[in-house]
Amino acid sequence: INNYVEGTQTRARDKASPSGLYFRDSKRKVDYVLAYHYRKRLARHVPGAASPEPRRGFASVALVSNGSTGKGRAEPQQQQQPDDGQRALQEWPGLPGLEVVELSPLDTLEEERRLQREEYERNLLEAGLEIEKDPENKSQGVSFVRIHAPWQVLSREAELLKIKMPTKKMYEITEEKGILKTLNEIWCKLTEPLQPQVPQQENTKMKTLSYPFSREKIYLYNIKDKDTFFDNATRSRIVREILKRTFTKARNSMGIGTLIANNVYDAAYPLHDGEYEGQNDDMNERKLLYQEWARYRVFYKFQPIDLIRKYFGEKIGLYFAWLGLYTEFLIPSSVVGIIVFLYGCLTIESDIPSKEMCDQRNAFTMCPLCDKFCDYWNLSSACATARASHLFDNPATVFFSIFMALWATMFLEQWKRLQMRLSYFWDLTGLEEEEEHPRPEYETKLLQKKLKNKNITTESSNEVRCTLSFNLCGICKLTWSDRMPGYAANFGLILFMIMLAFSAVFGVIVYRITTAAALSFSTNETTRSNVRVTVTATAVIINLVVVLILDEIYGAVAKWLTEIEIPKTEKTFEERLILKAFLLKFVNSYASIFYVAFFKGRFVGRPGRYVYVFEGYRMEECAPGGCLMELCIQLSIIMLGKQLIQNNLFEIGIPKLKKLFRKLKDERTEVKEMDTNQSKDPQQWDLDYILEPFTGLTPEYMEMIIQFGFVTLFVASFPLAPVFALLNNIIEVRLDAKKFVTELRRPDTVREKDIGIWYNILSGIGKLSVIINAFVIAVTSDFIPRLMYQYAYSQNGTMHGFINHTLSYFNVSQLKAGTQPENSLFAQEVSFCRFKDYREPPWSPHQYEFSKQYWAVLSARLAFVILFQNLVMFLSVLVDWMIPDIPKDISEQIKKEKTVLVDFFLKEEHEKLKLIESFIAHDKQKRRSGTKSRRTRAASFSQCHRSPKGSFTSFSSQHTVV
């Protein structure tokens, strides 16, 4: 361990590499950093310490040197138990300068952590890693342990992990021919200004053959420099694997995850490649990513996906590749959505139903909207609502719904093709799932079960280590009964949270009803005339605030529920967390939208027999133009509000606030002391430590998946949703890029060949969107009633008379006592009022019952849902079948790569065979010469075992036969 404890420690950092990425010798690269808080003990002298008899009854006793040896303390190498102080004094008899001190509980805990750190670092050294530490010059503060992996460790671990590395062989990639090649060349020329200025491979027609690293076949690889053969991401990944599996006997901690969970270390992270901005001209990959990807001024450029993958790893590279493809696919859907919206604008003047509604000559006297305080009103007063509804409720909306269903299918198919292409170029084909290390919480629960079942308190350390060796014996895993309390809590709490979301929606409904009733009592004419607009606007804003608050609560609850399930591995933990968080946030985001789309106005009743809540408040009705306009407002406000506030302001503001809070906390807790080890300029590990730790991609995916739901599920009511999603994503890509490059510690590289469970969620949303849009068109919009009227009830095949056809009559004398309008100011005497429904008139023998038109329209609605769903599903399956998951050129290249790999192996082994045969021939010639000494030297040089027939049985002890 290279400790800064010698006389040159003051000058150590000044001699270090300027970039702060190397040890003090400026040669060995820092591959990983461990950070921890330390606190010097504040010990109280024990009376009679000079006595050779140690005092009894102390919780912990330690040996402290009061000499100035530079080490600061002397202690035995063995781990000390609570009674080790007495044994330590007996082992160090007559040692001068020692005092017995009493430790406070806080000092005892700090001493225990220090011992764990020392043992852990010794074990890292035994694993072959090299370590450099800072001296602890202050009474308390942060210290860093820098780790370097030498070539022997890198090559050993790369072989164990089966990391694919480039060989000496390169082969030509088959290019597309014909018209596809011409179109590709034209596209490349057109998009040349949009390409990021990052280093590219000199010959893009050639690909390096990769093969899992093997020390026995080291002659296959293109090793020009051992220091640069493994890039920074691969080196840090290898070190992380060693850190995960290195254990300590103290508290039976297995891996760095357990130590961080027990606060032995604060953080473990790889270093960024230097500063991303500054005066120096040294270009590194981080600075290149910042200049060409993580700035808003380059929003129009493509993403440097290969460089992102190289710097952050395949998992993060796949996320940004998926986000980029999704954003690109939003462009055609946005164009079509704008066309549909413009079609509604252009045809609004020729829409006959809205003309009839706005025509004041049509005296449609409508029934009161509330009891007692509301007057009769003319339908023409809702003219603006009717005209606005036509913008989104027109025949083009049906076409757009079908288009978006096919769009979702094509997007998922194209992603599968792109994913396969990236897998080929990133050497992820045939990637095997690695065995994951158990999570610290799982290990702790396992140990508790072991000790509880067997009640072992004096078990040897080797037996305790067996507990954590992850074998599959019955006692070494958690059973169904161990997890049952967690599952029961999950079921109950998830059900409660879903009911909480529904309760919030019901609360907003009650607010709308009561506020509408209260505003109707107003004596101000303007207030009464704008009741619907006021209630709708304020209710949507309240609903947005509730959604944002519950979103944060649900995220924390989902994480806690997943933790009490005690999943074994990080992958299992992540999948369960995703499912819970998505379920809760899906319900939270869409509950109010589902209510407006399918339930509002369906349970109102009719004049004379309204449905009431809280004994006096009528259920709210849809606007005269239908609920589709209100659904559009609800969807747009929630979607835009979540994108603006949650996805952008929260992502920018919260990390900055956390960083500021952590900085203030460190400044408050640290004593102002001069650190002789601290140079004027902070090193890279200092700069990275104050950054926000990376917590996973789940929040990034989640916000995009919820947005994907807004774009597809209710697109029939809001054709402009793809436009706003596109504008948001253009900012989102650069916002996420800037966060990863400048505000987060460098994540550990993770090799993944797909986006995992997120694809299944996307596919499920795509299929659900077909059903929901079918019901929105059939139930919420007036598309089916208009179609039925035009082809079944209209006398001349036009829409003239449609409004009158959809309004039923009611005899006002049949209103319940106390519900009639008081002091009616209506111009004429009212005998009959109209309400929107298909019911028999008062003069019918079956008055106010559902008419034949109602049942005919209902049948047509259901038939449309079945027809629309089956048609779109068939087209989606057809598109899925027509577009292969694996591009033809990629499948051919994969086959070609296997052939090239076999030929390359055979060629290399053949050359080895020829070399060895030449040695054998040379050996035979020496034997014939009769010179014994030369014959002996030749035999020792050839190192071959000859068979009786003169052939050899082994080419080399260092190589295997293909």
Side-chain angles (χ1 to χ4, degrees):
I1 304 180
N2 296 311
N3 293 304
Y4 290 156
V5 294
E6 306 299 333
T8 58
Q9 65 179 10
T10 307
R11 303 186 300 273
R13 288 202 180 191
D14 298 331
K15 291 182 179 180
S17 174
S19 62
L21 301 175
Y22 292 85
F23 278 13
R24 60 176 176 174
D25 57 11
S26 299
K27 294 180 181 179
R28 289 174 293 175
K29 186 178 295 185
V30 177
D31 297 319
Y32 223 85
V33 174
L34 306 179
Y36 63 91
H37 272 86
Y38 67 88
R39 176 179 175 275
K40 297 285 183 68
R41 71 170 60 90
L42 303 175
R44 180 174 62 84
H45 288 275
V46 181
S51 173
E53 266 310 310
R55 292 191 57 169
R56 300 177 182 272
F58 295 148
S60 179
V61 179
L63 294 172
V64 180
S65 169
N66 55 10
S68 57
T69 61
K71 294 285 184 182
R73 62 175 64 89
E75 64 242 350
Q77 293 297 321
Q78 291 83 3
Q79 179 190 357
Q80 296 187 7
Q81 300 297 331
D83 60 343
D84 279 352
Q86 185 173 354
R87 189 188 320 122
L89 283 176
Q90 294 171 358
E91 292 177 357
W92 297 69
L95 193 64
L98 292 181
E99 298 177 359
V100 179
V101 294
E102 181 182 9
L103 299 183
S104 66
L106 190 61
D107 290 331
T108 304
L109 181 61
E110 180 63 29
E111 183 69 13
E112 184 181 352
R113 290 172 179 171
R114 184 186 62 79
L115 292 173
Q116 287 190 63
R117 285 195 293 267
E118 290 179 355
E119 182 189 359
Y120 186 71
E121 289 158 15
R122 283 197 303 271
N123 293 338
L124 292 180
L125 289 173
E126 292 176 2
L129 297 176
E130 297 175 4
I131 293 177
E132 184 177 76
K133 294 184 66 174
D134 289 335
E136 300 174 358
N137 291 332
K138 299 190 293 184
S139 61
Q140 60 179 347
V142 179
S143 187
F144 298 94
V145 179
R146 295 174 290 282
I147 301 173
H148 168 77
W151 168 259
Q152 293 82 359
V153 175
L154 293 172
S155 57
R156 180 192 71 209
E157 297 297 323
E159 184 173 358
L160 291 174
L161 297 173
K162 299 179 181 179
I163 299 176
K164 285 188 174 183
M165 299 304 297
T167 63
K168 300 174 183 177
K169 179 66 176 178
M170 297 187 70
Y171 66 96
E172 186 177 2
I173 300 175
T174 305
E175 290 186 336
E176 297 175 341
K177 298 180 180 180
I179 189 171
L180 291 177
K181 181 180 179 181
T182 306
L183 292 175
N184 188 43
E185 290 175 352
I186 294 173
W187 174 253
C188 290
K189 288 182 180 179
L190 291 175
T191 58
E192 189 173 353
L194 306 180
Q195 298 294 338
Q197 301 299 315
V198 297
Q200 300 287 343
Q201 186 179 342
E202 295 180 0
N203 191 354
T204 56
K205 298 180 181 179
M206 302 295 292
K207 183 180 184 295
T208 303
L209 186 67
S210 297
Y211 186 72
F213 188 81
S214 172
R215 288 174 291 179
E216 292 184 351
K217 295 183 174 64
I218 199 167
Y219 59 91
L220 298 176
Y221 303 97
N222 187 21
I223 304 177
K224 297 179 181 178
D225 185 357
K226 290 185 177 180
D227 292 335
T228 58
F229 179 65
F230 295 103
D231 60 15
N232 293 346
T234 306
R235 296 174 70 98
S236 64
R237 177 189 168 201
I238 289 173
V239 175
R240 181 73 179 188
E241 287 298 322
I242 298 174
L243 294 176
K244 282 182 179 179
R245 68 169 185 257
T246 303
F247 67 91
T248 60
K249 296 177 182 177
R251 288 199 175 187
N252 307 294
S253 298
M254 175 61 82
I256 188 64
T258 310
L259 294 175
I260 292 177
N262 294 334
N263 296 318
V264 177
Y265 289 101
D266 289 342
Y269 53 91
L271 292 180
H272 279 292
D273 283 358
E275 296 185 15
Y276 60 88
E277 58 182 356
Q279 302 298 327
N280 58 340
D281 297 329
D282 297 334
M283 181 58 70
N284 56 63
E285 291 181 351
R286 187 188 188 192
K287 182 180 288 188
L288 190 60
L289 283 171
Y290 177 73
Q291 292 179 355
E292 295 296 327
W293 178 53
R295 293 194 295 180
Y296 294 110
R297 68 179 67 176
V298 293
F299 73 92
Y300 60 91
K301 289 188 176 183
F302 293 128
Q303 299 184 89
I305 294 296
D306 288 327
L307 184 59
I308 297 170
R309 169 252 178 178
K310 181 183 178 184
Y311 192 81
F312 292 110
E314 284 77 8
K315 188 172 184 178
I316 294 176
L318 283 174
Y319 164 71
F320 281 104
W322 175 85
L323 181 58
L325 181 68
Y326 172 49
T327 305
E328 290 175 12
F329 258 72
L330 284 173
I331 296 175
S333 61
S334 300
V335 172
V336 178
I338 292 173
I339 292 173
V340 170
F341 179 73
L342 292 177
Y343 171 81
C345 295
L346 294 175
T347 58
I348 193 170
E349 296 298 334
S350 59
D351 182 52
I352 296 175
S354 60
K355 279 185 176 181
E356 289 185 349
M357 190 177 292
C358 294
D359 191 354
Q360 296 185 0
R361 293 173 297 180
N362 295 327
F364 295 119
T365 304
M366 306 299 292
C367 296
L369 295 175
C370 65
D371 295 342
K372 196 174 181 179
F373 296 99
C374 295
D375 202 354
Y376 303 105
W377 56 285
N378 267 323
L379 185 62
S380 58
S381 62
C383 175
T385 307
R387 291 172 66 87
S389 297
H390 179 73
L391 298 177
F392 306 101
D393 189 3
N394 55 69
T397 316
V398 181
F399 159 76
F400 190 56
S401 299
I402 299 175
F403 171 81
M404 287 303 295
L406 298 179
W407 172 88
T409 303
M410 292 188 67
F411 165 64
L412 293 177
E413 288 301 311
Q414 189 61 31
W415 167 245
K416 285 193 288 187
R417 291 169 62 84
L418 176 60
Q419 189 172 256
M420 196 64 207
R421 189 175 295 275
L422 293 176
S423 296
Y424 166 69
F425 283 105
W426 292 354
D427 297 317
L428 299 175
T429 52
L431 179 67
E432 300 177 2
E433 289 200 9
E434 301 173 2
E435 184 179 354
E436 289 192 71
H437 298 279
R439 299 175 63 247
E441 294 81 0
Y442 182 86
E443 297 170 5
T444 304
K445 185 71 175 179
L446 207 60
L447 183 60
Q448 290 174 355
K449 179 183 179 183
K450 174 81 172 181
L451 298 176
K452 180 180 178 181
N453 288 352
K454 293 193 174 183
N455 197 21
I456 297 175
T457 56
T458 59
E459 191 175 24
S460 66
S461 60
N462 290 333
E463 291 174 333
V464 175
R465 282 177 55 191
C466 177
T467 306
L468 301 174
S469 62
F470 319 128
N471 49 22
L472 298 178
C473 61
I475 197 64
C476 292
K477 65 179 181 180
L478 298 182
T479 61
W480 180 262
S481 59
D482 297 320
R483 300 178 188 272
M484 182 56 70
Y487 291 150
N490 268 262
F491 178 78
L493 202 52
I494 287 176
L495 194 62
F496 171 76
M497 287 296 167
I498 292 175
M499 295 306 298
L500 180 63
F502 289 152
S503 301
V505 174
F506 182 72
V508 174
I509 294 171
V510 172
Y511 165 80
R512 295 162 69 108
I513 295 172
T514 54
T515 305
L519 292 177
S520 301
F521 301 158
S522 175
T523 56
N524 191 329
E525 180 64 27
T526 306
T527 303
R528 288 202 306 271
S529 61
N530 295 315
V531 167
R532 192 178 296 275
V533 176
T534 305
V535 170
T536 301
T538 55
V540 169
I541 293 173
I542 292 172
N543 194 51
L544 173 62
V545 173
V546 172
V547 166
L548 293 177
I549 294 173
L550 287 182
D551 249 4
E552 300 302 318
I553 296 174
Y554 284 171
V557 168
K559 185 176 180 181
W560 180 75
L561 288 175
T562 310
E563 287 174 349
I564 65 175
E565 280 187 14
I566 322 173
K568 182 175 182 180
T569 63
E570 285 294 341
K571 185 174 182 180
T572 309
F573 178 86
E574 186 178 24
E575 288 180 350
R576 294 183 182 181
L577 173 62
I578 288 169
L579 286 175
K580 292 181 183 64
F582 174 73
L583 175 63
L584 294 175
K585 294 191 176 186
F586 181 89
V587 173
N588 182 43
S589 299
Y590 300 115
S592 60
I593 299 174
F594 269 93
Y595 164 73
V596 174
F598 303 122
F599 297 101
K600 185 178 180 180
R602 312 292 168 192
F603 310 102
V604 177
R606 61 169 178 82
R609 193 179 290 177
Y610 284 113
V611 176
Y612 291 87
V613 291
F614 301 125
E615 300 180 357
Y617 295 101
R618 276 165 45 181
M619 287 292 292
E620 55 180 347
E621 303 179 42
C622 289
C627 277
L628 196 68
M629 187 61 197
E630 192 167 342
L631 176 61
C632 173
I633 295 172
Q634 186 91 2
L635 178 64
S636 59
I637 295 297
I638 292 179
M639 178 182 176
L640 297 179
K642 279 178 67 68
Q643 290 184 167
L644 180 64
I645 299 174
Q646 193 175 46
N647 298 1
N648 293 326
L649 292 182
F650 282 10
E651 280 196 27
I652 295 172
I654 290 180
K656 292 186 181 299
L657 290 176
K658 286 183 177 179
K659 184 178 178 181
L660 179 62
F661 176 76
R662 191 164 53 248
K663 184 178 179 181
L664 293 175
K665 182 181 178 182
D666 290 341
E667 289 178 354
R668 187 174 66 252
T669 56
E670 287 190 10
V671 182
K672 299 294 183 181
E673 301 177 39
M674 290 297 295
D675 189 355
T676 57
N677 184 55
Q678 184 68 36
S679 62
K680 294 181 180 179
D681 298 326
Q683 298 296 310
Q684 190 62 46
W685 47 83
D686 298 310
L687 297 173
D688 287 3
Y689 178 72
I690 63 175
L691 297 178
E692 188 73 14
F694 175 70
T695 56
L697 288 170
T698 300
E700 317 300 332
Y701 272 114
M702 187 65 70
E703 64 187 47
M704 289 295 104
I705 297 296
I706 296 296
Q707 185 202 83
F708 183 79
F710 283 122
V711 169
T712 55
L713 291 179
F714 295 93
V715 74
S717 64
F718 189 40
L720 294 179
V723 180
F724 291 107
L726 175 63
L727 296 176
N728 174 80
N729 286 9
I730 291 174
I731 301 173
E732 181 72 23
V733 171
R734 307 302 161 179
L735 182 63
D736 284 348
K738 187 175 183 181
K739 181 171 68 174
F740 273 86
V741 173
T742 67
E743 297 176 3
L744 295 179
R745 294 174 190 160
R746 188 172 184 173
D748 294 303
T749 57
V750 179
R751 289 177 68 83
E752 293 283 355
K753 58 183 178 181
D754 53 39
I755 60 175
I757 197 173
W758 294 111
Y759 179 84
N760 299 329
I761 294 176
L762 285 168
S763 181
I765 291 177
K767 291 178 173 59
L768 183 62
S769 68
V770 177
I771 302 172
I772 290 179
N773 280 302
F775 276 99
V776 167
I777 295 170
V779 177
T780 311
S781 75
D782 281 338
F783 177 74
I784 299 300
R786 292 187 184 196
L787 211 61
M788 285 291 295
Y789 176 79
Q790 185 173 0
Y791 293 103
Y793 300 107
S794 176
Q795 297 179 356
N796 52 10
T798 65
M799 294 301 296
H800 290 287
F802 173 73
I803 297 298
N804 185 56
H805 177 76
T806 58
L807 298 177
S808 299
Y809 288 90
F810 180 77
N811 191 343
V812 297
S813 62
Q814 296 178 348
L815 287 172
K816 288 184 178 180
T819 62
Q820 301 92 340
E822 289 185 350
N823 304 320
S824 176
L825 301 177
F826 205 69
Q828 64 265 17
E829 184 71 22
V830 179
S831 300
F832 297 96
C833 64
R834 310 293 293 272
F835 62 99
K836 191 173 183 179
D837 207 347
Y838 291 103
R839 292 184 181 268
E840 296 289 347
W843 52 82
S844 171
H846 308 286
Q847 60 178 356
Y848 307 132
E849 292 185 4
F850 288 117
S851 63
K852 293 180 180 179
Q853 289 90 340
Y854 171 83
W855 299 110
V857 171
L858 180 61
S859 302
R861 291 182 195 270
L862 297 177
F864 174 82
V865 169
I866 296 171
L867 179 64
F868 181 90
Q869 177 183 341
N870 285 278
L871 174 63
V872 175
M873 287 292 187
F874 169 76
L875 293 176
S876 300
V877 172
L878 184 64
V879 170
D880 189 2
W881 175 76
M882 292 177 63
I883 302 176
D885 293 347
I886 304 176
K888 185 178 179 181
D889 60 325
I890 295 299
S891 62
E892 292 176 354
Q893 293 297 334
I894 292 174
K895 295 176 183 177
K896 180 180 178 181
E897 187 175 66
K898 293 179 180 178
T899 306
V900 171
L901 182 63
V902 173
D903 293 342
F904 177 57
F905 273 8
L906 292 176
K907 182 180 178 182
E908 290 292 326
E909 293 295 334
H910 182 64
E911 290 180 358
K912 277 183 56 184
L913 178 61
K914 287 172 62 178
L915 180 63
I916 295 173
E917 286 179 342
S918 66
F919 289 154
I920 294 174
H922 184 67
D923 181 43
K924 288 181 178 180
Q925 187 177 6
K926 294 294 185 181
R927 286 175 180 272
R928 292 193 189 100
S929 65
T931 306
K932 186 175 181 180
S933 60
R934 293 181 181 178
R935 193 164 59 238
T936 305
R937 284 197 298 270
S940 64
F941 182 72
S942 64
Q943 293 292 323
C944 290
H945 174 68
R946 296 163 54 113
S947 66
K949 295 183 179 181
S951 62
F952 54 91
T953 59
S954 174
F955 293 158
S956 171
S957 61
Q958 299 299 320
H959 300 86
T960 57
V961 182
V962 177

